[in-house]
Amino acid sequence: QNAVGNWETTYASDTLTVDTNEPNTSLTAYSPDPTNDSTPTYSGTATDATTNIIDIEYRVDGGAWTNVDTFTPGLNVNFTFTTPVLADGTHTIETRAMDSASNWETSYASDTLTVDATPPTAPPLVSPANNAAITTSIFTFDWNASTDPAPGSGVSYYTLQVDDDPSFSSLELEKTTSASVTEYTLLSTEALLSNTYNWRVRAVDAAGNPGNWSTWVVRIDNSMYGFETSAQGWSPSGTI
């Protein structure tokens, strides 16, 4: 109002948004877990009901916070990030967000995963002994258990392969056994003809790391008995 009583009719104004609520992040659980990927890539979302998300950070095992750069500010944003190299073991990944009213999230989103990039040991072979000569076509392949060095994810299964080619390019047999089974007995339909065979076994852990093969040779000769085994049964061979 001025000295002669005139009131202003075009008022000055300002609009103010008050936001005292913190934003929220959610983190997609990493899969597979355990993993042999030592630099896992995570994805998640950050939301705020009132003001835009302008900053997102993550940290590993309670360490320093690192900025997430791959997102567009907004009320509901998607983001991804890749961790630095993680050592074998269990790790906790946390995320937090800040909105444009400078509210930082304090109830962090988190995920725990196990990294195992170390393969299990090669299984010691037991029988048939290396270069053994045997006269039966149905027998048992036997080996001792592998170990998965700590803090490994543990042996998941074994793979057995048999081939008359040392390069294992045309497999006669391939079988998988669980971690608790360290032998395989041929079925009658899997009986092996007289020949020299290479057989090998390796372990694979729960994170998918394959160990080294252990390889031996076995020689099968049924001809001295006048019979030879085939997948269809017994057939004459040689003279009695």
Side-chain angles (χ1 to χ4, degrees):
Q1 184 186 41
N2 59 21
V4 295
N6 297 310
W7 279 101
E8 178 184 11
T9 57
T10 56
Y11 313 131
S13 68
D14 181 45
T15 299
L16 173 68
T17 298
V18 175
D19 178 9
T20 60
N21 296 315
E22 64 184 47
N24 179 72
T25 58
S26 62
L27 195 59
T28 302
Y30 192 85
S31 181
D33 182 13
T35 178
N36 57 16
D37 185 355
S38 59
T39 55
T41 296
Y42 271 92
S43 61
T45 60
T47 58
D48 193 282
T50 308
T51 54
N52 285 344
I53 303 292
I54 61 170
D55 197 3
I56 301 172
E57 297 179 335
Y58 76 91
R59 68 179 180 180
V60 179
D61 297 333
W65 291 101
T66 300
N67 284 325
V68 174
D69 298 322
T70 56
F71 75 95
T72 301
L75 295 177
N76 191 330
V77 301
N78 299 317
F79 63 88
T80 62
F81 62 90
T82 299
T83 73
V85 175
L86 304 179
D88 282 9
T90 301
H91 301 276
T92 299
I93 313 298
E94 295 175 301
T95 59
R96 69 177 183 177
M98 184 181 76
D99 61 26
S100 58
S102 298
N103 297 302
W104 274 107
E105 177 182 10
T106 57
S107 55
Y108 314 134
S110 68
D111 182 52
T112 300
L113 83 160
T114 298
V115 174
D116 176 10
T118 303
T121 60
L125 303 184
V126 177
S127 66
N130 194 25
N131 290 309
I134 62 177
T135 57
T136 179
S137 292
I138 300 175
F139 54 92
T140 298
F141 294 99
D142 188 15
W143 60 93
N144 287 333
S146 296
T147 58
D148 198 29
S153 54
V155 173
S156 178
Y157 63 90
Y158 295 96
T159 299
L160 164 69
Q161 293 182 343
V162 181
D163 199 346
D164 58 4
D165 183 349
S167 68
F168 291 86
S169 61
S170 55
L171 295 179
E172 303 287 337
L173 180 77
E174 182 174 45
K175 293 294 179 179
T176 298
T177 70
S178 65
S180 61
V181 178
T182 57
E183 63 177 24
Y184 181 77
T185 301
L186 295 171
L187 303 175
S188 60
T189 55
E190 298 166 339
L192 298 173
L193 299 175
S194 293
N195 204 344
T196 298
Y197 295 94
N198 308 275
W199 67 283
R200 64 184 185 178
V201 181
R202 73 176 177 185
V204 179
D205 65 22
N209 298 298
N212 290 329
W213 292 101
S214 295
T215 305
W216 274 0
V217 173
V218 61
R219 309 177 195 283
I220 301 174
D221 184 4
N222 294 300
S223 60
M224 67 174 60
Y225 295 100
F227 293 90
E228 186 165 78
T229 316
S230 68
Q232 288 74 40
W234 292 92
S235 61
S237 173
T239 57
I240 299 177

